[in-house]
Amino acid sequence: LDEPVLETILRDVRAVGDKLRVVMLPLDYSSQLLTSQSYSPVSISENVELSDNDKNVLRKLKDWDLWGPLLLCLGLGVTLSFKAPTNQASLVFAAVFCAVWVGGTVVTINAQLLGGTISFFQSLCVLGYSIFPLTLSAVVIGVFKIVLNFFWFDLIVVGIGCVWAMRASSVFISVYIRPERRALALYPVVFFYTFLAWLILLF
């Protein structure tokens, strides 16, 4: 590959990694996010210190892209299609793909109708990156199913991934919604990730 092309690819890969880092550690960044553009700012504790690199990561999350969400969506779809019966593999993949993008669109439109200032693609970006914990849960279940076929294990792993995904996305989306309307904006987010978790348990 030409050097400019390689640099562009590496830059995009680093950007995806930075956004995944925020999703992986939502509790570490929640205070900073809630003070960025909130209608009712929450003060950061004096004990909470973010490095320049951490602040840079948070700024990059606001610079949306759809490459990461697309890869995570494809990863989840492929993982579940491998676990599904052979004659249902393509149907499962299509169901996951449609659920992610249609569900993300519905959640975004709902937030905008409630007066949210988040942009359409920025919301899709956040919701898409927040699928990562559920994708990771599906992979873990698929690997351990070879030696451990135990429903309660699947339920616990998916439950952790679902709560993780909800937390990661709600922390960011809620800063764009007025406090009195946040419950109405976040309810579809809960339903969205619960539906994806149900698909993982189903297959």
Side-chain angles (χ1 to χ4, degrees):
L1 293 175
D2 295 337
E3 186 172 346
V5 175
L6 183 59
E7 289 180 358
T8 301
I9 294 174
L10 290 177
R11 182 194 64 200
D12 291 341
V13 170
R14 283 194 295 269
V16 170
D18 287 341
K19 292 182 179 70
L20 282 178
R21 180 184 172 191
V22 177
V23 173
M24 290 287 290
L25 303 170
L27 294 177
D28 290 351
Y29 302 115
S30 59
S31 295
Q32 179 72 14
L33 284 170
L34 287 172
T35 57
S36 59
Q37 297 185 27
S38 178
Y39 287 106
S40 57
V42 179
S43 60
I44 302 178
S45 170
E46 294 180 357
N47 297 325
V48 177
E49 295 183 359
L50 295 178
S51 66
D52 292 338
N53 181 61
D54 291 337
K55 293 178 181 178
N56 187 44
V57 169
L58 292 172
R59 284 194 295 269
K60 287 183 178 181
L61 184 58
K62 298 175 185 178
D63 184 18
W64 63 266
D65 73 82
L66 297 181
W67 286 112
L70 177 61
L71 291 176
L72 291 172
C73 175
L74 293 176
L76 181 59
V78 169
T79 301
L80 294 186
S81 64
F82 272 125
K83 293 168 57 182
T86 305
N87 61 337
Q88 297 181 8
S90 58
L91 181 62
V92 170
F93 180 86
V96 172
F97 192 86
C98 291
V100 169
W101 295 107
V102 174
T105 300
V106 171
V107 171
T108 299
I109 293 175
N110 176 70
Q112 291 182 333
L113 290 176
L114 290 171
T117 57
I118 189 169
S119 72
F120 182 82
F121 290 109
Q122 190 178 28
S123 177
L124 284 182
C125 174
V126 173
L127 292 169
Y129 274 105
S130 297
I131 292 173
F132 177 73
L134 286 172
T135 303
L136 185 62
S137 297
V139 172
V140 170
I141 290 173
V143 171
F144 278 88
K145 217 171 189 67
I146 301 175
V147 294
L148 183 64
N149 191 5
F150 187 52
F151 175 75
W152 287 106
F153 173 78
D154 297 353
L155 187 62
I156 292 172
V157 172
V158 173
I160 293 173
C162 186
V163 172
W164 194 351
M166 291 175 188
R167 172 62 178 171
S169 59
S170 63
V171 162
F172 191 82
I173 292 177
S174 63
V175 302
Y176 294 94
I177 307 294
R178 293 184 181 279
E180 66 272 14
R181 296 182 177 179
R182 282 178 185 164
L184 293 175
L186 296 180
Y187 170 73
V189 174
V190 173
F191 182 77
F192 173 59
Y193 291 112
T194 301
F195 181 75
L196 293 178
W198 175 74
L199 285 179
I200 295 173
L201 289 174
L202 189 63
F203 297 103

